[in-house]
């Protein structure tokens, strides 16, 4: 089992079945083929997500209007609470954390989609 406080590089040595999908300065997303899960390392915590939960989290973060949040002078707009079904963690994120998480999730989704399309193109069709 991987400790929740492990760094992304340490996770790769601890579990060789994990492949890094995408990383930025805020964290990383890994794919575990053995368990058919995505591992989100963000804000010092490791979150194990099913693919559908990952997609729900990406959609929830993408639906937040960051421009409106930045323009709103009220203190209540300084943080956003993000919780999705299937994820054990409730994220309480500032504007900069939301931006970093959005980049991380969008980059991982793009990499997964690109990998799927390449696999389809390179795999010969069976008759």
């Amino acid at each position: 089992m991987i400790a929740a406080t492990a760094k992304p590089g340490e996770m790769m040595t601890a579990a060789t079945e994990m492949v890094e999908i995408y990383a930025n300065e805020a964290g990383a997303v890994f794919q575990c083929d053995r368990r058919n899960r995505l591992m989100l390392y963000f804000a010092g915590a490791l979150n194990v997500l099913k693919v559908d939960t990952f997609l729900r989290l990406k959609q929830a973060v993408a639906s937040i209007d960051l421009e409106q949040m930045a323009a709103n002078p009220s203190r209540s707009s300084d943080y956003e609470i993000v919780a999705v079904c299937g994820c054990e963690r409730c994220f309480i994120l500032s504007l900069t954390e939301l931006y970093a998480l959005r980049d991380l999730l969008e980059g991982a989704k793009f990499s997964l989609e690109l990998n799927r399309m390449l696999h389809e193109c390179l795999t010969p069709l069976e008759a």
Side-chain angles (χ1 to χ4, degrees), residues 91-103:
F91 297 87
I92 302 172
L93 304 168
S94 67
L95 180 64
T96 55
E97 291 170 327
L98 276 166
Y99 181 76
L101 182 58
R102 180 180 284 183
D103 176 63

